[in-house]
Amino acid sequence: MAVLDAFDPARARDRNWIERVPPAYWVLGLLLLVMPAFAGDFVLYQIMGWTFLLGMIALSLMFLAGYGGMVSLAQMSFAGLAGYLVAIFGDSAITAISQGWPWWITIPLSLALTVLAATGVGWLAVRTEGIYTIMITLAIAAAFFYFTRQNYDLFNGFQGFNTILPPHLFGVDWRAPVPFYYLALFWAVAAYAAVLYLSRAPFGLALQGVRDNPRRMAALGYNVTAHRVAAYAFAGLIAGIGGILLTWQSSQISPGTIGIGPAIDVLVVAVIGGLRHPIGAFLGAFIFVLLKTFAVDVLISLGLSGERFQLLIGLCFLAIVFFSPDGLLGLWDRLRERGLRDPLTGRAKDDR
Amino acid sequence: MTAETGLALELRGVSKRFGALAALSDIELRVRPGERRAVLGSNGAGKTTLFNCITGDFPPSSGAIRFFGEDVTSFPAQERIRRGLRRTYQISLLFTGLSVLDNVYLACRGVSRGRFSFRRPRASDALMQTAEELVTTVHLQEVRNTRVSDLSYGQQRQLEIAMALSGAPRFILFDEPAAGLSPTERRELIAILTGLPGHVGYIIIEHDMDVALRVSERVTMMHNGRIFKEGKPAEIEDDPEVQALYLGGAAHG
């Protein structure tokens, strides 16, 4: 993926932004755009739709962990909070709690409150480092899970909310497979582009500087805490958008969505994809969704009972992490590097 | 306390204690603007501690430090950086996950206004241009888009110098910049140091007498946390006391 990272200001000066997009992106983009022409509803809605949304939530973690060096297990909680807020402020089958406000209040308000919550969690979490950040965000995720399960006044307890539907904007049923596919694709691409853009903006560069050496960044005159907290806020926004879409996709939200299992799934997705580049989050999500969806069928076709499908998923993750600590991206990088090496001397072919 | 005017750096009675250990005792140091000074001394003589006191990485136990006439003794490190004081570190404190250019860009941006920006710099951005120029100054233009973790040790030391040069420095502290460099890299380092603009003064800590005497106008000798000799490179080299203590035994070890 080094080709995606490469940013050469001297070369970029002569070209506009369209020419700067690598060819691989054009192929992938075209493929994703015309996919509804040949893919079935199941693939569009379940496989691709879920990939985009889970990818966005994993992307929010990739941004924090890859650029900021902060591993947060609370990203699924932010996604779930946004979903819950949409259900509480907007419409659902639980009319006793849902306020039924119009979407143009509900959605911005939910996202704003989610960002606020993420900022608060970030403000707490940035006081810690490494394993303690993981612990504190895990504690927050667990607390939120049990709170939603036991609180019936606001979160409707164990059952949560159902029949949470996207607004019928422009007369389109956004939950129909093809419109939802494009809706999820649009936001996934937007989030991806935003992360990529920010990673090269002064804020993103400074965040990476903070990751590598916070003391020196402070000595250079940067506010380390402010950069870290702002990263949490931005990651919370991405997770929140993903969470709202995820809630619309399944049309329900309940404590099961935000439990410890799903929280760790997000980490697994980000790690198997690779934390070095934002595309890793979506790669990881794609593999994860494929495994979750087809592991049972694979086992049954092998003459085994489908109950052990989690075992197959676990083995696949083990294999990926074992062969490449950098996830799929690292695997790709190493294969590419090997392809560029001279098989006899072992030296790089295009020695720049 | 009367301040001598027209000095870049003035230390008066600076001491630093770590518990019972006196790392620095009663240091008096005066450096003119644009002056190039070498600080020599064996291990544990207090050279790096002296730098840490000057930069504010940790404050002295007693004494006063003036930077261009201003008393900076109680200032935090970043305030001193804003006033044009820079340093390099013995151990690498670079941003290893970023490219060479980005490292220098961050250093340039740190001393400028608007550090907290979400907008990407354009290629014509003034700071980006400055960063490019600095990268060229230290002969790293070939590897400017290479990740720092992929650089050789010598290149990392050169980058360390480029970062110290960012944002119009008035005075730089070089902490053993030649340590671990190959002979070729040493020659390049000497060329970089002697090629610095005339108004930029520096203090260089260096074990290698050859490098130290070639890039400095005056030499300060330290021993056991005290300054015991100061003079021109030739005087220091010929001084019998210095030879006995430093050049004779441990110097080239």
Side-chain angles (χ1 to χ4, degrees):
Chain A
M1 288 290 132
V3 66
L4 304 182
D5 291 324
F7 173 76
D8 186 343
R11 266 190 296 148
R13 217 170 289 154
D14 313 326
R15 301 184 299 168
N16 62 32
W17 68 272
I18 293 179
E19 289 166 324
R20 264 187 271 151
V21 177
Y25 273 17
W26 289 112
V27 176
L28 183 68
L30 202 67
L31 191 72
L32 289 174
L33 273 180
V34 301
M35 201 163 200
F38 54 85
D41 285 355
F42 176 76
V43 170
L44 289 181
Y45 196 74
Q46 285 300 329
I47 306 287
M48 296 314 290
W50 195 15
T51 297
F52 295 145
L53 306 183
L54 190 62
M56 281 178 75
I57 299 168
L59 179 68
S60 79
L61 173 59
M62 178 274 150
F63 183 77
L64 281 178
Y67 294 139
M70 302 173 285
V71 177
S72 155
L73 284 176
Q75 296 315 106
M76 196 67 210
S77 309
F78 300 141
L81 177 64
Y84 264 116
L85 290 174
V86 163
I88 292 168
F89 296 135
D91 277 312
S92 82
I94 318 298
T95 47
I97 298 175
S98 291
Q99 301 295 313
W101 292 348
W103 68 267
W104 47 269
I105 298 177
T106 306
I107 296 170
L109 184 62
S110 305
L111 285 177
L113 289 174
T114 303
V115 169
L116 202 67
T119 311
V121 170
W123 186 74
L124 272 175
V126 298
R127 270 133 233 281
T128 59
E129 297 232 336
I131 190 123
Y132 301 102
T133 311
I134 301 178
M135 292 302 293
I136 199 167
T137 49
L138 179 66
I140 288 163
F144 184 53
F145 166 63
Y146 285 111
F147 183 73
T148 55
R149 213 165 66 158
Q150 286 156 9
N151 180 295
Y152 280 84
D153 297 335
L154 201 56
F155 291 97
N156 201 32
F158 192 76
Q159 292 191 321
F161 297 83
N162 53 22
T163 333
I164 309 158
L165 302 173
H168 271 253
L169 216 56
F170 312 119
V172 178
D173 175 13
W174 291 102
R175 264 202 91 219
V178 174
F180 189 82
Y181 171 83
Y182 282 118
L183 182 69
L185 176 64
F186 173 79
W187 285 107
V189 169
Y192 175 76
V195 167
L196 211 57
Y197 179 86
L198 263 193
S199 74
R200 302 285 325 161
F203 167 70
L205 284 178
L207 189 63
Q208 292 167 74
V210 167
R211 169 198 65 194
D212 288 346
N213 204 326
R215 262 196 63 203
R216 180 147 205 191
M217 282 304 279
L220 281 175
Y222 290 89
N223 187 336
V224 170
T225 308
H227 276 85
R228 285 179 168 162
V229 173
Y232 267 94
F234 176 68
L237 177 67
I238 293 180
I241 297 172
I244 291 176
L245 292 169
L246 199 66
T247 307
W248 285 342
Q249 189 196 28
S250 56
S251 83
Q252 61 90 35
I253 180 105
S254 65
T257 318
I258 58 163
I260 305 301
I264 290 170
D265 283 348
V266 173
L267 180 66
V268 168
V269 165
V271 169
I272 62 167
L275 291 171
R276 294 231 307 263
H277 192 277
I279 198 76
F282 293 100
L283 272 178
F286 186 59
I287 301 292
F288 184 88
V289 168
L290 284 184
L291 282 171
K292 275 266 183 189
T293 314
F294 295 114
V296 183
D297 302 319
V298 170
L299 285 177
I300 291 174
S301 70
L302 290 173
L304 302 163
S305 82
E307 291 157 22
R308 299 274 175 222
F309 74 100
Q310 293 280 18
L311 186 70
L312 189 66
I313 296 175
L315 283 176
C316 281
F317 293 154
L318 262 183
I320 291 173
V321 176
F322 182 77
F323 286 111
S324 172
D326 273 341
L328 291 169
L329 283 180
L331 212 58
W332 166 261
D333 272 353
R334 256 185 294 161
L335 287 176
R336 219 173 61 98
E337 220 168 88
R338 198 178 297 171
L340 287 174
R341 270 176 205 287
D342 191 304
L344 289 175
T345 60
R347 288 180 51 183
K349 274 178 189 166
D350 65 335
D351 210 345
R352 278 180 296 164
Chain B
M1 193 173 292
T2 53
E4 247 180 84
T5 48
L7 286 177
L9 189 67
E10 184 182 15
L11 271 70
R12 280 177 171 269
V14 168
S15 300
K16 178 71 187 174
R17 312 190 141 270
F18 295 105
L21 175 80
L24 292 177
S25 328
D26 205 22
I27 299 285
E28 301 276 330
L29 190 70
R30 280 165 194 80
V31 188
R32 289 176 288 105
E35 184 180 331
R36 278 110 204 253
R37 174 77 63 105
V39 173
L40 301 180
S42 50
N43 283 328
K47 306 183 299 289
T48 299
T49 309
L50 178 71
F51 271 20
N52 284 333
C53 286
I54 298 174
T55 57
D57 283 348
F58 40 73
S61 311
S62 61
I65 299 168
R66 284 175 176 275
F67 187 61
F68 284 92
E70 188 179 12
D71 191 340
V72 296
T73 317
S74 60
F75 283 18
Q78 57 261 47
E79 282 303 316
R80 303 182 196 207
I81 286 179
R82 286 203 188 119
R83 280 160 177 76
L85 180 68
R86 300 283 184 282
R87 80 169 289 181
T88 67
Y89 291 85
Q90 239 179 89
I91 44 160
S92 183
L93 285 177
L94 299 164
F95 308 118
T96 49
L98 291 171
S99 75
V100 169
L101 193 59
D102 289 343
N103 267 263
V104 180
Y105 178 74
L106 278 180
C108 290
R109 185 134 198 138
V111 287
S112 74
R113 287 155 55 85
R115 286 180 295 282
F116 210 101
S117 167
F118 294 94
R119 289 203 42 210
R120 263 192 196 189
R122 297 179 161 274
S124 57
D125 184 83
L127 283 177
M128 201 49 116
Q129 298 286 353
T130 315
E132 292 250 17
E133 279 163 30
L134 285 172
V135 167
T136 311
T137 307
V138 296
H139 312 306
L140 288 177
Q141 64 273 31
E142 296 285 314
V143 290
R144 68 189 201 282
N145 290 318
T146 306
R147 214 201 270 249
V148 169
S149 53
D150 295 336
L151 292 185
S152 75
Y153 179 78
Q155 288 171 323
Q156 294 195 9
R157 309 300 316 213
Q158 276 162 270
L159 174 57
E160 186 65 64
I161 291 171
M163 289 178 72
L165 293 175
S166 65
R170 295 198 280 178
F171 202 85
I172 308 175
L173 308 173
F174 292 108
D175 197 348
E176 293 202 32
L181 295 191
S182 72
T184 324
E185 288 168 336
R186 264 163 211 249
R187 276 195 296 279
E188 270 189 30
L189 176 76
I190 293 172
I192 292 170
L193 290 180
T194 49
L196 287 178
H199 68 275
V200 179
Y202 59 73
I203 299 180
I204 179 169
I205 293 179
E206 193 45 69
H207 269 303
D208 188 329
M209 283 293 268
D210 192 41
V211 174
L213 299 180
R214 281 171 68 179
V215 298
S216 59
E217 301 156 6
R218 274 184 88 76
V219 178
T220 300
M221 295 292 303
M222 284 183 75
H223 189 63
N224 285 340
R226 290 176 186 279
I227 290 175
F228 85 98
K229 205 120 254 171
E230 206 177 291
K232 291 205 159 58
E235 295 167 16
I236 294 291
E237 224 174 348
D238 296 338
D239 191 286
E241 220 180 331
V242 173
Q243 279 176 353
L245 208 108
Y246 189 73
L247 301 175
H252 295 289

